[in-house]
Amino acid sequence: MADLTAVVHGAAELATATGELGGDDPAGIHSGAAVAVVDGEVAAVGPTDEVTREYPPENAAHDVDATGRAVIPGYVDSHTHACFAGDRSDEFEAKLRGTTYGELLASGGGIHRTVRATRAASDEELVDNLLDQLDVMVAHGTTTVEVKSGYGLDTETELRMLDVIDRADRRHPVDVVPTFMGAHAVPRDYEGSSDPVDADDYVDRVVDEQLPAVEKQGIAEFCDVFCDEGAFTVDQSRRVLEAGAGRGLTPKVHAEELAHRGGAKLGAEVGAASADHLLHATDEDVAALVEADVTPVLLPGTAFGLGADYADGRAMVDTGAPVAVATDFNPNCHSQSMGFAAALACVEMGLTPAEALVATTRNGARALDRPDLGVVREGAPADLAVLDAPSHVHVPYSYGVNRVATVLKDGRPVVGPEWTGERDTDSEGGR
Ligand code: NIG
Ligand code: FE
């Protein structure tokens, strides 16, 4: 028999994120609304009196009174490097004193430092660290998150990271989408040798050793590459992404972050799910992405942390691009908050709060090839966040403050009054 999982009722505002970016009502707002959830899926959306007549809250496993509050889709954070060990807060201080990201990387800090710490950490430490990050994310309203490998840069540690990501996914209510990113940086040295590493030679290893092992392991869904100054060239990146696609991994690309190098056009050429960062992208790049149906993912937290210029989100939305906004949470961009990313998208990139809502929910899902997520509509998984505020506008308006009061994952409370805080301990074996 169908199970009435939850009824969320009395919402001052339900933002379904079903409208069009650039349209009159991108956030798809309903006032005085309710959502009924049957077997974890949205069964009805509409005025509270109508929905509760058919689905009485008292019959539901979870009666969620949202009187005076806003309800939004759970955030889909489509770009993070949340699996790592170590602490780089001192690099944050160094950057404030003027050291650049490129200088840190070139001197063996940055990604290389996190690689050393991650290689040295046990699997258990890495799982615990990632579960802690997922706890923070869900408390801020995120219900699906992409997590990349890329702090191993050798076959063993890259596989270990993907396994850790998979184990954390099984133990935590947040859904974790795994991406292989062996081409995150050229490693400083190979184990057992102090000879400098040639980038082309490392790309050979990614293509000939890492990718076959990743395919055999069967966890990763996407293959990403850092196509940028101080990382991989367009040709090297193309080799990695084409080889990944040949092994069943959908391409993604870090493009035009530190400099303009052609990664966006490469993303269009290889049919990537997304091209991410785009701080230095041109109008032509954006047109190529739109034409090839590649989701542009903007990561304003990174520009904030680097003190860099922001990607021109307003112009992208105005050309019809399905812009997504994500956190880029990593040791260089240490914020798990999609609400903060939304605030930066509004204040620094010129998106409206409604556009930022769509960018952090439905378009994040688009960047992960999960069109069923990030919206509130019949048949969709009931991933919802209830705010302690009357409208979605209060998310960017309350910059720096978490307005998420309750989170439902598949209709079950995972943050808020009914949440016990327990992780799924029985199971490394499946949710
Ligand atoms: O998306 N740009 C490359 N990768 C990350 C940074 C990773 C790091 O610094 O540890 C990014 O910003
Ligand atoms: Fe990144």
Side-chain angles (χ1 to χ4, degrees), residues 16-334:
T16 59
T18 52
E20 287 311 313
L21 265 197
D24 289 343
D25 177 23
I29 301 290
H30 297 237
S31 301
V35 182
V37 182
V38 173
D39 290 336
E41 283 184 1
V42 174
V45 176
T48 288
D49 53 351
E50 283 177 24
V51 172
T52 55
R53 206 173 308 129
E54 195 178 346
Y55 300 95
E58 56 276 21
N59 295 350
H62 306 288
D63 172 352
V64 183
D65 182 358
T67 303
R69 297 181 156 195
V71 178
I72 64 174
Y75 292 119
V76 180
D77 189 349
S78 61
H79 182 137
T80 83
H81 307 254
C83 178
F84 61 85
D87 180 342
R88 280 164 43 197
S89 52
D90 56 344
E91 291 187 357
F92 175 70
E93 287 186 294
K95 282 183 288 174
L96 294 175
R97 289 194 301 269
T99 309
T100 67
Y101 182 82
E103 285 164 357
L104 289 165
L105 192 63
S107 65
I111 292 174
H112 299 300
R113 191 161 157 211
T114 304
V115 167
R116 289 192 293 277
T118 303
R119 286 178 180 170
S122 69
D123 291 7
E124 288 63 38
E125 273 174 78
L126 291 172
V127 171
D128 283 348
N129 286 352
L130 180 51
L131 287 170
D132 287 347
Q133 307 305 350
L134 296 176
D135 281 349
V136 179
M137 289 173 182
V138 75
H140 286 77
T142 297
T143 47
T144 300
V145 60
E146 184 253 20
V147 180
K148 302 172 200 294
S149 72
Y151 291 122
L153 311 185
D154 60 34
T155 306
E156 183 198 331
T157 320
E158 288 296 317
L159 291 182
R160 233 157 49 77
M161 288 189 72
L162 290 166
D163 184 56
V164 162
I165 291 167
D166 186 50
R167 284 169 61 185
D169 177 37
R170 290 168 193 274
R171 286 184 54 188
H172 201 281
V174 168
D175 270 329
V176 185
V177 177
T179 295
F180 165 65
M181 197 173 179
H184 193 193
V186 181
R188 300 276 284 176
D189 48 46
Y190 292 135
E191 207 179 333
S193 156
S194 55
D195 294 346
V197 175
D198 172 69
D200 284 318
D201 178 63
Y202 180 65
V203 169
D204 287 344
R205 292 187 184 220
V206 172
V207 169
D208 299 334
E209 292 173 23
Q210 295 183 17
L211 273 167
V214 167
E215 181 185 32
K216 185 155 173 260
Q217 185 189 34
I219 291 172
E221 283 183 45
F222 295 95
C223 176
D224 199 343
V225 58
F226 190 10
C227 180
D228 216 314
E229 186 175 88
F232 298 94
T233 65
V234 168
D235 287 343
Q236 290 163 344
S237 303
R238 182 186 294 108
R239 278 192 65 206
V240 170
L241 296 180
E242 285 181 348
R247 296 193 177 274
L249 305 181
T250 304
K252 279 180 167 284
V253 59
H254 279 62
E256 335 296 4
E257 177 187 356
L258 304 172
H260 189 269
R261 282 288 180 274
K265 286 213 175 128
L266 173 65
E269 180 192 320
V270 300
S274 68
D276 303 39
H277 284 291
L278 304 175
L279 273 61
H280 299 277
T282 63
D283 294 349
E284 226 183 278
D285 293 331
V286 176
L289 294 176
V290 171
E291 170 75 24
D293 201 27
V294 179
T295 303
V297 176
L298 307 185
L299 306 161
T302 312
F304 178 81
L306 294 174
D309 289 339
Y310 290 78
D312 194 348
R314 179 74 261 148
M316 293 185 199
V317 170
D318 288 343
T319 61
V323 167
V325 166
T327 62
D328 194 21
F329 174 69
N330 73 68
N332 178 60
C333 177
H334 208 264

Side-chain angles (χ1 to χ4, degrees), residues 73 76 144 175 361-362 365-366 370-375 380-381 383 409:
V76 180
T144 300
D175 270 329
T361 55
R362 184 167 113 225
R366 191 180 198 282
R370 297 280 203 286
D372 54 328
L373 298 181
V375 288
D383 295 353
K409 178 72 185 168

